[in-house]
């Protein structure tokens, strides 16, 4: 009887326990995005993932991770929570040119004041990519935002230098894909979890 009562009591307590995040894998153009992932001890979820096209060619996949899924761009850009943007190359690209496109994307989607506050990070990104000849198919990089630490850049899983301390940088960086003039409108929607048909891009 005593064992039965203990088991019954535990049964009542179990529903009160916090549910674990449901693990899932999303595959985009052959690239797998696991969710959740660990960023500095915080488990964050895949908000959305998609493909960056140039004309009809697939250039890279991108996945946006946030502490909690949202379809609100302002929340994704400005919330002070752990985040990750992860890109995997689908074709060989000129690394220096990619760095220049990132810089241009940040400048186009930020005010002069915002861009000025993010300039140290902008220059760092340019240096990282200009130091390489190219990025091959399958190579990847991610930029994590860690509150209180800054933005941490990883290339093929290896951290590149010290964190970028200015919080304005990460918002400017995300605006490359989520800003008013995104690199790819369909990719912007995919990162925010919007699903739509992609005719002619098979």
């Amino acid at each position: 009887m005593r064992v039965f009562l203990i088991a019954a009591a535990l049964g009542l307590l179990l529903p009160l326990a916090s549910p674990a995040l449901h693990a899932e894998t999303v595959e985009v153009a052959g690239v797998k995005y696991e969710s959740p992932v660990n960023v500095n001890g915080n488990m964050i979820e895949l908000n959305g993932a998609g493909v960056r096209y140039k004309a009809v060619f697939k250039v890279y996949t991108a996945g946006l991770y946030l502490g909690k899924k949202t379809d609100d761009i302002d929340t994704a850009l400005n919330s002070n929570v752990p985040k990750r943007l992860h890109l995997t190359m689908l074709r060989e690209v000129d690394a220096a040119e990619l760095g220049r496109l990132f810089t241009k994307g940040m400048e186009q989607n930020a005010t002069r004041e915002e861009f000025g506050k993010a300039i140290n990070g902008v220059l760092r990104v340019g240096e990282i990519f200009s130091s390489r000849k190219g990025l091959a198919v399958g190579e990847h990089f991610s930029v994590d935002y860690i509150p209180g630490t800054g933005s941490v850049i990883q290339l093929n899983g290896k951290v590149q230098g010290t964190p970028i301390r200015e919080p304005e940088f990460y918002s400017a960086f995300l605006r490359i894909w989520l800003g008013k003039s995104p690199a790819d409108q369909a990719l912007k929607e995919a990162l925010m979890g919007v699903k739509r048909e992609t005719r002619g891009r098979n």
Side-chain angles (χ1 to χ4, degrees):
M1 177 63 71
R2 184 178 179 182
V3 172
F4 174 79
L5 290 174
I6 292 174
L10 288 174
L12 291 172
L13 290 173
L14 284 175
L16 300 178
S18 298
L21 288 175
H22 178 65
E24 63 176 338
T25 300
V26 175
E27 187 167 323
V28 180
V31 177
K32 293 181 178 180
Y33 285 90
E34 307 290 340
S35 181
V37 297
N38 189 323
V39 171
N40 197 45
N42 297 280
M43 302 305 293
I44 60 176
E45 300 180 67
L46 182 67
N47 199 70
V51 177
R52 166 70 168 109
Y53 284 87
K54 187 172 184 180
V56 297
F57 301 104
K58 296 177 181 178
V59 183
Y60 56 75
T61 67
L64 174 64
Y65 290 84
L66 301 172
K68 184 178 181 180
K69 289 185 178 182
T70 182
D71 59 3
D72 182 70
I73 290 178
D74 185 65
T75 298
L77 289 172
N78 300 313
S79 56
N80 188 36
V81 298
K83 307 173 192 179
R84 167 174 290 175
L85 187 82
H86 185 89
L87 275 67
T88 299
M89 298 300 112
L90 297 177
R91 62 188 295 117
E92 185 173 350
V93 299
D94 182 290
E97 177 62 19
L98 188 63
R100 286 192 291 270
L101 288 174
F102 286 168
T103 298
K104 182 179 179 181
M106 284 186 273
E107 190 171 14
Q108 287 180 333
N109 287 283
T111 65
R112 181 174 296 183
E113 181 181 1
E114 290 168 340
F115 189 74
K117 290 180 178 179
I119 194 64
N120 288 336
V122 174
L123 294 174
R124 173 80 71 79
V125 170
E127 290 171 359
I128 290 172
F129 287 103
S130 64
S131 66
R132 295 177 59 88
K133 182 177 181 180
L135 291 174
V137 175
E139 289 199 281
H140 55 87
F141 70 94
S142 60
V143 183
D144 296 345
Y145 176 70
I146 303 170
T149 297
S151 302
V152 178
I153 300 175
Q154 296 184 57
L155 182 58
N156 296 324
K158 183 178 180 181
V159 174
Q160 305 295 302
T162 58
I164 298 167
R165 301 290 299 178
E166 296 83 5
E168 293 84 3
F169 166 74
Y170 204 83
S171 179
F173 183 71
L174 282 187
R175 283 194 180 97
I176 296 173
W177 298 274
L178 302 183
K180 62 183 185 297
S181 300
D184 185 311
Q185 180 63 35
L187 178 54
K188 175 180 179 177
E189 295 175 7
L191 293 175
M192 295 309 299
V194 177
K195 299 183 183 299
R196 71 173 188 176
E197 293 183 14
T198 53
R199 297 175 183 171
R201 288 189 168 189
N202 297 321

